[in-house]
Amino acid sequence: MRVSLFITCLADQFYAEAGVAAVRLLRALGVEVDFPPGQTCCGQPAYNAGYLPEARAVARHTLEVFRESEYVVLPSGSCTSMVHHYPELFAGHTPYREAVALKERTFELSQFLVRVLGVTRLGEGLKGVRVAYHHGCHALRELGIREEPLLLLQNAGAELVPWEAAEECCGFGGLFSVKLPEVSLSMADRKLETLEAEVLTSTDAGCLLHLSGRLEDRGQKVRVAPLATLLWEAYARA
């Protein structure tokens, strides 16, 4: 089985360790991993802003870059969700069938581990660690990813802390945090006021970037780590 890693812009710039962890984990599980060097943005910023021709131009490039990939795996629910929007983006346009095909073989990391590889146990390297999981909106509400990351963390020995705001939006939302910063920060603070954990994790770098900034501003000492990083620790420390 061969997987192409799609690192995504935010992971590349702010959480590169998540990409490294995803590659190490997949290879440890016997998966051949490559990294198409021509990959760029998935097109989500333009798509969310309503610039559809510009979003199509970026998406066409992504279709070309991953044309030969057997599977495409991302350490991001948000960008995975954007690739799943490609058929809608190309409805009535030439590469529609190619967009559907790419959607069908593109997965967020935890989704790929559980649903494609059938892996639910990676090791108990997180034994006793108190972890809070933030359900990013795209992963939860667009891709239906809820149980996969929780199952992998629990089976790694992590203590998943109850968090009443776990499924609430963090307020990042890409352009939302730029256009309505006061509302965005209030939403993050609402989540963090109810957070009691050693480690905060999620599938999405944008959410973690937003929440880690507010944690620092608020003086809350919580480690923030991408899910891919924790899953690799679960395997490597076992």
Side-chain angles (χ1 to χ4, degrees):
M1 179 182 292
R2 183 169 58 87
V3 159
S4 296
L5 180 73
F6 191 171
I7 183 63
T8 78
C9 300
L10 290 183
D12 183 38
Q13 294 296 316
F14 298 101
Y15 294 105
E17 72 273 17
V20 174
V23 171
R24 287 175 171 168
L25 184 58
L26 289 166
R27 287 178 174 167
L29 295 172
V31 177
E32 181 183 348
V33 183
D34 61 39
F35 184 84
Q39 59 184 276
T40 59
C41 174
C42 64
Q44 185 175 172
Y47 181 78
N48 287 350
Y51 292 100
L52 299 187
E54 290 79 3
R56 285 191 197 97
V58 178
R60 283 180 195 274
H61 177 73
T62 300
L63 290 174
E64 173 66 26
V65 168
F66 293 101
R67 179 168 292 149
E68 303 301 324
S69 301
E70 182 179 358
Y71 290 100
V72 179
V73 171
L74 302 85
S76 165
S78 181
C79 298
T80 301
S81 175
M82 180 60 210
V83 174
H84 284 219
H85 278 296
Y86 282 5
E88 172 188 335
L89 185 63
F90 286 110
H93 295 262
T94 303
Y96 172 76
R97 290 186 178 179
E98 193 173 349
V100 172
L102 182 61
K103 172 186 175 181
E104 291 176 348
R105 59 182 196 274
T106 298
F107 298 87
E108 180 276 329
L109 177 63
S110 68
Q111 184 185 40
F112 182 78
L113 293 175
V114 174
R115 297 188 190 178
V116 180
L117 294 184
V119 172
T120 58
R121 293 182 182 276
L122 297 166
E124 296 187 352
L126 301 178
K127 195 168 185 178
V129 180
R130 300 181 71 247
V131 176
Y133 181 79
H134 162 66
H135 291 273
C137 293
H138 288 103
L140 177 64
R141 284 177 258 281
E142 294 200 357
L143 299 176
I145 299 172
R146 174 182 276 112
E147 301 303 327
E148 294 89 340
L150 302 181
L151 179 63
L152 291 167
L153 290 168
Q154 282 181 321
N155 287 344
E159 177 188 344
L160 285 174
V161 300
W163 187 17
E164 66 180 66
E167 296 190 6
E168 293 182 10
C169 176
C170 69
F172 178 61
L175 295 175
F176 178 80
S177 62
V178 176
K179 291 182 175 179
L180 298 168
E182 295 84 1
V183 178
S184 172
L185 294 180
S186 294
M187 292 171 71
D189 286 346
R190 148 67 191 164
K191 283 191 73 88
L192 297 178
E193 285 167 1
T194 59
L195 175 65
E196 294 183 5
E198 295 176 46
V199 181
L200 168 63
T201 191
S202 178
T203 62
D204 281 297
C207 303
L208 293 181
L209 195 63
H210 186 55
L211 292 172
S212 64
R214 290 308 292 164
L215 281 168
E216 185 175 347
D217 289 345
R218 294 164 56 89
Q220 284 179 257
K221 304 297 183 185
V222 178
R223 180 191 173 201
V224 176
L227 179 66
T229 301
L230 289 189
L231 295 183
W232 170 244
E233 290 177 4
Y235 181 91
R237 293 178 180 175

